[in-house]
Amino acid sequence: MTQGTVSRYTANTRIGRILRRLVWCVGQCRIARALRRRQRYLQQKRRFHARMRGLEHSRLLDVSHRPDANVIFVVIDCLRNSQLSCQGYPRHTTPFLDSLQCRFTAITASPWTYPSVATLLTGLYPHNHKAVIAGSTKYLDRFENFRKLGERVLTLPEALFLLGYETYFASAIWLAHWPVRYRVVPQVYDQLPKAGLILDNAARWIHKRRHKPFFAYLHLGDLHQPLNPPDSFRSFFGKVKDLPNIKTWDFERRQQQVASAREFQEYRENRKLLYDNTLRYVDSVIERFYYRLEAEGIMDSTILVVTADHGEELWDHAELEAGNFYDPRGASGVGHGHNVFNEIIEVPLLMAGPLPSCRTPDHYVSLADVVPTIADVLGIRHSMKFDGRNIFRDHGERPLLSEACAYGHEKKALIIGRRKVIYSPDDGVLWAFDLADDPKEQDPITDSRTTSALARELSRILAGDERARVRRAIGGRHL
């Protein structure tokens, strides 16, 4: 309803009075929402600055040496690494992302947003940074079981703020800022905004601060359900049929998938097509954002990191999950947070800007590597402890961990080169995979001679981290 529509009716008609009242109410609601957003923003800002004033950072950070390169993180929620065209995917989904100078394949530290973002901003695995769901059975909707990021843990945006950086944090997904609440001052959106809006707002913020070093974290939610690309991209690779629940999820239960096989196949093909069309939109707006900043001369002194907090399952392991893993929702094969198969924990890690020369390694890296890499590239002088490493110093194959699920019993994955183990004791699962011979993880190896060595390595890593925490707590005495 517009003011022009209202003006067609005379002031003396009942319909005219009702319409004017309706327009006034809509305006008041918008004002109220804006005021609530402003109130939340100011509260977050006060809490953030109070934490910064009370933070004893001198033991962790030398603030006398201040870097001057900018840093931008663009995190694409639910981005499957396999869906990038540079990975051999048949649709040309990501021409711009394919062009970025440094490309790695990373294992995310967790299969869902809350612990994964905490790892991305601290360089610590979830069992060390503590931002996880507590309890033997996980269920994301039980917010009382959410655990906070450790108070003594310093995040990358906090460290850069202490070094004189302007910081900016915007997310389409509320869970992305939740693990670092009061560690950043987030830009909060009432509704799920498209990537173009988040990136355009960020570009305007950067333009005003281009003469001072800045850190910007931009979390895009377009690939998270509900999928709703602009009309110009909805049929980019082909027309998506208007099926029920095509933007969200259907056929979440294995019984539905088997009982209605023909309808399920049609739905799955169209849901994947909609995902790919949406990804092509996301790639295009990141490209626009990049060249807008490049035209202003900003990218010459800016490190750009593009990655994902986790991937997305599109029925890859529905049968295995239904028969072997407990999910309190009764779902299998869809979404994220419920398991640690590679379609959920394998993500791209792309970088550009003033970086060391890089080559694409033939092994995985970890999202826990991002903070230590940025710290080294910027030349930050610090004594912070990380689980990750600088990825530009090729360390070869090493154990990489993913853990802290959102649904069902706890599951952990450990990957060492071509070998992988999935361990879920409450589900009775201890499986190994040879990722070279079985890259889609369809044939789990249960032979104890194969699984036991990987299980021991997983236990050694977790026990070693626990001993290190105890040593720090009692002042470094040897245990």
Side-chain angles (χ1 to χ4, degrees):
M1 183 62 63
T2 65
Q3 193 65 46
T5 304
V6 176
S7 65
R8 296 194 186 103
Y9 298 91
T10 67
N12 295 324
T13 66
R14 183 182 179 187
I15 293 177
R17 291 194 298 273
I18 292 173
L19 290 174
R20 284 197 301 275
R21 181 67 178 176
L22 179 60
V23 170
W24 182 85
C25 288
V26 169
Q28 291 299 106
C29 289
R30 288 174 178 169
I31 293 171
R33 285 197 300 270
L35 289 173
R36 286 195 296 270
R37 281 198 304 270
R38 181 65 177 170
Q39 186 178 26
R40 288 196 301 266
Y41 174 82
L42 292 175
Q43 181 191 39
Q44 295 266 3
K45 189 173 183 179
R46 285 193 297 269
R47 294 284 295 270
F48 169 74
H49 285 286
R51 174 175 163 80
M52 291 295 97
R53 287 192 299 269
L55 199 61
E56 295 181 7
H57 61 270
S58 57
R59 63 183 176 85
L60 295 175
L61 198 63
D62 178 2
V63 297
S64 65
H65 176 73
R66 301 198 166 198
D68 57 4
N70 310 310
V71 181
I72 299 174
F73 283 10
V74 177
V75 180
I76 307 169
D77 208 289
C78 301
L79 175 58
R80 289 169 61 108
N81 185 60
S82 62
Q83 235 77 356
L84 271 67
S85 39
C86 64
Q87 296 294 333
Y89 192 65
R91 291 176 178 141
H92 201 40
T93 50
T94 53
F96 175 72
L97 295 182
D98 296 347
S99 72
L100 296 180
Q101 71 195 69
C102 295
R103 296 205 303 265
F104 304 90
T105 299
I107 297 299
T108 181
S110 180
W112 67 294
T113 300
Y114 185 74
S116 182
V117 169
T119 291
L120 185 57
L121 294 176
T122 65
L124 297 172
Y125 283 133
H127 68 270
N128 282 330
H129 65 56
K130 303 299 185 183
V132 300
I133 293 180
S136 59
T137 302
K138 320 288 184 180
Y139 197 13
L140 190 153
D141 289 349
R142 296 173 185 162
F143 300 121
E144 67 274 12
N145 290 336
F146 277 47
R147 295 296 178 259
K148 294 195 303 182
L149 189 66
E151 283 296 324
R152 295 185 178 182
V153 174
L154 192 66
T155 67
L156 179 63
E158 288 176 309
L160 293 177
F161 178 85
L162 293 168
L163 290 168
Y165 277 59
E166 297 278 350
T167 60
Y168 183 89
F169 192 105
S171 175
I173 306 294
W174 70 269
L175 267 177
H177 91 263
W178 201 244
V180 289
R181 60 194 185 279
Y182 312 130
R183 312 292 190 95
V184 297
V185 184
Q187 306 297 312
V188 178
Y189 294 88
D190 287 334
Q191 297 178 333
L192 190 66
K194 287 185 168 52
L197 176 62
I198 289 180
L199 295 175
D200 286 347
N201 287 344
R204 284 191 287 270
W205 181 90
I206 290 168
H207 174 78
K208 294 176 182 177
R209 292 157 180 83
R210 63 189 182 279
H211 300 303
K212 188 176 181 181
F214 65 83
F215 169 83
Y217 179 100
L218 312 172
H219 197 108
L220 312 181
D222 302 75
L223 292 180
H224 193 288
Q225 64 91 14
L227 301 179
N228 189 28
D231 291 343
S232 55
F233 282 87
R234 182 177 170 81
S235 301
F236 194 92
F237 295 111
K239 183 174 177 56
V240 178
K241 291 185 179 179
D242 190 18
L243 302 175
N245 302 314
I246 193 65
K247 294 181 180 181
T248 52
W249 289 113
D250 208 339
F251 297 95
E252 297 174 77
R253 297 174 181 268
R254 185 61 183 162
Q255 302 94 308
Q256 297 172 284
Q257 299 159 17
V258 173
S260 305
R262 180 180 296 179
E263 293 85 351
F264 168 53
Q265 182 64 24
E266 180 184 45
Y267 180 88
R268 180 168 59 179
E269 291 175 358
N270 279 272
R271 184 59 164 71
K272 288 181 178 179
L273 177 58
L274 181 57
Y275 181 99
D276 292 345
N277 292 343
T278 306
L279 176 54
R280 186 63 184 85
Y281 159 70
V282 172
D283 183 84
S284 72
V285 292
I286 295 175
E287 179 180 24
R288 185 181 70 193
F289 172 74
Y290 180 92
Y291 287 118
R292 178 175 176 177
L293 298 186
E294 185 179 65
E296 297 183 22
I298 294 170
M299 294 310 302
D300 293 338
S301 56
T302 299
I303 299 168
L304 173 66
V305 177
V306 182
T307 188
D309 53 342
H310 53 77
E312 189 83 323
E313 183 174 0
L314 300 172
W315 299 277
D316 306 70
H317 288 93
E319 184 176 357
L320 278 177
E321 289 169 1
N324 296 279
F325 297 94
Y326 169 67
D327 190 315
R329 306 166 299 170
S332 63
V334 297
H336 53 272
H338 58 287
N339 221 310
V340 285
F341 289 111
N342 272 18
E343 64 270 8
I344 308 175
I345 66 170
E346 183 182 297
V347 297
L349 176 56
L350 315 172
M351 302 178 72
L355 298 165
S357 60
C358 62
R359 63 178 182 83
T360 302
D362 57 1
H363 54 78
Y364 291 115
V365 300
S366 171
L367 280 197
D369 296 333
V370 174
V371 170
T373 298
I374 295 298
D376 280 2
V377 171
L378 293 178
I380 296 174
R381 298 173 182 171
H382 67 90
S383 58
M384 293 182 286
K385 303 298 183 184
F386 303 122
D387 291 320
R389 303 175 181 177
N390 183 345
I391 56 178
F392 293 114
R393 298 174 184 166
D394 191 354
H395 304 277
E397 295 176 355
R398 70 186 200 275
L400 302 176
L401 178 66
S402 188
E403 59 179 348
C405 289
Y407 299 104
H409 301 308
E410 173 60 349
K411 306 163 191 72
K412 296 183 187 294
L414 186 72
I415 296 177
I416 309 175
R418 62 187 283 175
R419 298 175 298 154
K420 175 178 179 178
V421 65
I422 293 179
Y423 182 45
S424 178
D426 290 334
D427 286 310
V429 169
L430 177 56
W431 291 347
F433 295 93
D434 185 324
L435 297 177
D437 293 339
D438 181 21
K440 295 185 182 298
E441 303 169 279
Q442 295 298 318
D443 298 306
I445 301 167
T446 58
D447 176 65
S448 61
R449 291 172 299 179
T450 304
T451 60
S452 58
L454 288 169
R456 284 195 300 271
E457 179 66 13
L458 174 59
S459 298
R460 184 191 66 79
I461 292 170
L462 298 175
D465 285 348
E466 180 62 25
R467 286 195 297 272
R469 283 199 299 273
V470 173
R471 279 200 299 271
R472 288 195 294 271
I474 64 175
R477 291 193 296 273
H478 180 70
L479 294 180

